[in-house]
Amino acid sequence: MAKSSSSSVSSTSAPASYEAALQELEGLVASLESGQLPLDQLLAGYQRGAQLLKFCRDKLEAVETQIKVLEGTELKPWQQE
């Protein structure tokens, strides 16, 4: 019996980096917005998108925490030179 291949939107592996997650999320959004996916793939895509969004938010929060440590307890306002 041949095994059917799963959709690319149902991947559950963690992205290699923030940039990889963002790129995958952008592609996923484009696929979802195209209206060409069957309902089961739309649901899988939505679930994967939620995972990617959480991954990106967690990475950004970790970086923000590191910056707070480097800058002291409070973030300094952005100053353009």
Side-chain angles (χ1 to χ4, degrees), residues 6-9 28 32 36-46:
S6 61
S7 168
S8 62
V9 296
L28 185 58
L32 293 172
Q36 300 298 314
L37 296 176
L39 185 58
D40 61 334
Q41 288 184 2
L42 285 172
L43 179 58
Y46 178 83

Side-chain angles (χ1 to χ4, degrees), residues 10-48:
S10 64
S11 175
T12 57
S13 62
S17 65
Y18 173 84
E19 291 78 10
L22 191 58
Q23 183 178 11
E24 183 181 345
L25 188 56
E26 288 172 348
L28 185 58
V29 168
S31 294
L32 293 172
E33 288 179 342
S34 74
Q36 300 298 314
L37 296 176
L39 185 58
D40 61 334
Q41 288 184 2
L42 285 172
L43 179 58
Y46 178 83
Q47 290 171 335
R48 179 61 177 167

